[in-house]
Amino acid sequence: MVRILFPGSRIWDVSFIPLRPGSLSGPVAERSDAARNRERLLEAARKLVEECGADGLTMDRLAERAGVGKGTVFRRFGSRAGLMMTLLSDAEADFQGRFMFGPPPLGPGAPGLDRLIAFGAERIAFVLEYGDLARAADASIRNRFEVPAVVLWHRHIEFLLREEGMEADPWLMALSLSAILDPERLLYAVRVHGVTPERLAESWRELVTRVIRGS
Amino acid sequence: MVRILFPGSRIWDVSFIPLRPGSLSGPVAERSDAARNRERLLEAARKLVEECGADGLTMDRLAERAGVGKGTVFRRFGSRAGLMMTLLSDAEADFQGRFMFGPPPLGPGAPGLDRLIAFGAERIAFVLEYGDLARAADASIRNRFEVPAVVLWHRHIEFLLREEGMEADPWLMALSLSAILDPERLLYAVRVHGVTPERLAESWRELVTRVIRGS
């Protein structure tokens, strides 16, 4: 749990997605050969997902692809779900870093509305790249709205709404806007109805612009 | 499949939720004592859900409550999922009748924005009453966005947006607005964060008003 003070706002409890088990609190650094090993396994896993989708990512295939024993893969990630969570965590941490600390318009420095528009476009791209992985990892999660990353996205949207002077229940308005970026729904639009990511991003831009300007 | 011609619009393929198996197409009317029997069972089932929640509705309890044999309950509804679908179907058909043909502002006769506001408020109330049932029945459904009722709600919102002159991709805008009324999310707001139905309805009113007026 990391406490962040957004300028001009109240204190937020933000649960960061740890980059890897123990990376934020663990006192013992990974030995560099172990770290290299891990990165090599993750790289192979990412390639497998690219080629075969999340369903195609099995511990057997990963071991074979990476040229290591199956035991090594299990020792490193615990289980298939653990492997997926690790892949996702790396991607989430990267995404979080970009929208919280990266260059504008996604990061600080641009007006709230521009950041909101950029956030939607980037999340749509993120979901299209990692959606299946998230769905596979999600299966074991009790409440998908309590996932730290989801909570953080919600709060980020609320923060931008407040910055734009939204006084009409910004917390709940942010929850509603988050719903629009729900991975399952975005993937449904793309896969079942052939909606392009550009069209999704344009519709999000139109909607949040109306919400912020239309008071 | 029923074809409906909305005034001033194109033809829509609308899949109605059948009131009961065979009720729209079946040539054989239920004998009145069988119908009474069925209504009595459904009434008992509704009471059980009220008292114990959807999880508390079992075939055993229903038989006991209605004073009939367990075999009768199974013959009538096939399975627990079938019973839940029947309960839901009745409620959905009632709701559909009200928003498509009932009095304004929910039904025809009011301006599109007023109907949209009323639709959100009524759906929120509907979800709070039937959400658990929907969730229990949903477990077996492959794609929750393909449920006929969900498709119909989406199209109803799109129809109202078009009526209000929305030119910015009304189909996708309606899909986004539907997301906000997603049962799982509404129930999460109510149960985990103690949001009242009134607050949900007010936030929906604010949002759709901005979306329609804020071009």
Side-chain angles (χ1 to χ4, degrees):
Chain A
M1 185 69 81
V2 179
R3 278 178 175 263
I4 295 184
L5 187 62
F6 280 102
S9 180
R10 57 191 170 82
I11 292 175
W12 300 74
D13 289 319
V14 176
S15 298
F16 267 102
I17 305 279
L19 281 160
R20 60 197 62 157
S23 68
L24 285 178
S25 53
V28 183
E30 282 184 294
R31 284 181 308 132
S32 64
D33 56 339
R36 266 196 305 274
N37 240 333
R38 175 184 178 280
E39 206 32 67
R40 203 160 52 86
L41 277 171
L42 286 177
E43 191 49 42
R46 277 190 286 266
K47 280 209 179 114
L48 263 176
V49 172
E50 248 169 58
E51 291 164 22
C52 319
D55 290 342
L57 178 61
T58 65
M59 302 298 255
D60 278 328
R61 272 200 204 136
L62 176 57
E64 196 192 315
R65 170 70 67 107
V68 299
K70 203 172 152 182
T72 306
V73 179
F74 273 97
R75 259 196 311 281
R76 176 53 75 177
F77 302 107
S79 65
R80 182 166 172 265
L83 168 62
M84 299 222 186
M85 292 300 283
T86 307
L87 280 176
L88 260 181
S89 294
D90 281 9
E92 298 268 25
D94 172 66
F95 181 55
Q96 282 174 26
R98 288 193 297 126
F99 76 69
M100 295 183 72
F101 312 111
L106 183 61
L113 177 54
D114 293 351
R115 294 188 67 192
L116 206 50
I117 291 168
F119 181 77
E122 296 273 344
R123 263 227 47 194
I124 288 160
F126 183 87
V127 164
L128 291 184
E129 190 165 355
Y130 294 101
D132 279 327
L133 214 58
R135 217 148 51 157
D138 257 16
S140 57
I141 288 166
R142 206 177 52 90
N143 191 331
R144 63 195 175 96
F145 302 115
E146 299 288 4
V147 177
V150 172
V151 172
L152 185 63
W153 291 339
H154 174 200
R155 285 185 176 166
H156 182 63
I157 292 175
E158 181 187 354
F159 167 73
L160 296 176
L161 289 177
R162 286 182 190 275
E163 200 179 68
E164 285 285 353
M166 163 78 63
E167 282 171 7
D169 206 341
W171 182 89
L172 194 49
M173 193 65 85
L175 188 72
S176 295
L177 294 179
S178 304
I180 295 168
L181 298 176
D182 190 52
E184 208 179 338
R185 191 169 296 261
L186 294 176
L187 291 174
Y188 165 74
V190 169
R191 290 178 187 169
V192 179
H193 292 280
V195 175
T196 62
E198 292 74 27
R199 193 176 151 202
L200 287 172
E202 170 54 25
S203 180
W204 165 265
R205 191 197 61 73
E206 182 73 40
L207 193 144
V208 293
T209 304
R210 285 167 182 249
V211 164
I212 281 182
R213 299 241 172 102
S215 53
Chain B
M1 184 69 79
V2 180
R3 277 178 176 264
I4 295 184
L5 187 61
F6 281 101
S9 181
R10 58 193 170 82
I11 292 174
W12 301 73
D13 290 319
V14 176
S15 297
F16 265 104
I17 305 279
L19 279 163
R20 61 197 64 156
S23 67
L24 285 178
S25 54
V28 182
E30 283 184 294
R31 286 180 307 134
S32 64
D33 55 340
R36 267 196 305 274
N37 239 333
R38 175 183 178 282
E39 206 32 68
R40 202 160 52 87
L41 277 171
L42 285 178
E43 190 49 41
R46 276 190 287 267
K47 280 209 180 113
L48 264 175
V49 172
E50 248 169 60
E51 292 164 21
C52 319
D55 290 343
L57 178 62
T58 65
M59 302 300 255
D60 278 328
R61 271 200 203 136
L62 177 56
E64 195 191 314
R65 170 70 67 107
V68 299
K70 202 172 153 182
T72 306
V73 179
F74 272 96
R75 259 194 312 282
R76 176 54 74 179
F77 302 107
S79 66
R80 182 165 171 267
L83 168 63
M84 301 225 187
M85 291 301 283
T86 307
L87 280 175
L88 259 182
S89 293
D90 281 10
E92 297 268 24
D94 173 66
F95 182 56
Q96 282 174 26
R98 288 192 298 126
F99 75 70
M100 295 182 72
F101 312 111
L106 184 61
L113 177 56
D114 293 351
R115 294 188 67 192
L116 206 49
I117 291 168
F119 181 76
E122 296 273 344
R123 263 227 46 196
I124 288 160
F126 184 88
V127 164
L128 291 184
E129 191 166 356
Y130 293 101
D132 279 327
L133 213 59
R135 218 148 52 156
D138 257 17
S140 58
I141 288 167
R142 206 176 52 89
N143 190 331
R144 64 194 175 96
F145 302 115
E146 298 289 2
V147 178
V150 172
V151 172
L152 185 63
W153 290 339
H154 174 200
R155 284 183 176 168
H156 182 64
I157 293 175
E158 181 187 355
F159 167 73
L160 295 176
L161 289 177
R162 285 182 190 277
E163 200 178 71
E164 285 286 352
M166 163 78 62
E167 282 171 5
D169 207 340
W171 182 88
L172 194 50
M173 193 66 86
L175 188 71
S176 294
L177 294 180
S178 306
I180 295 168
L181 298 175
D182 189 52
E184 208 180 337
R185 192 170 295 262
L186 294 177
L187 291 174
Y188 164 75
V190 169
R191 290 178 188 170
V192 179
H193 291 280
V195 175
T196 62
E198 293 73 28
R199 192 176 151 202
L200 287 172
E202 170 55 25
S203 180
W204 165 265
R205 191 197 60 71
E206 182 74 39
L207 193 145
V208 294
T209 303
R210 285 167 182 249
V211 164
I212 282 182
R213 299 239 172 103
S215 52

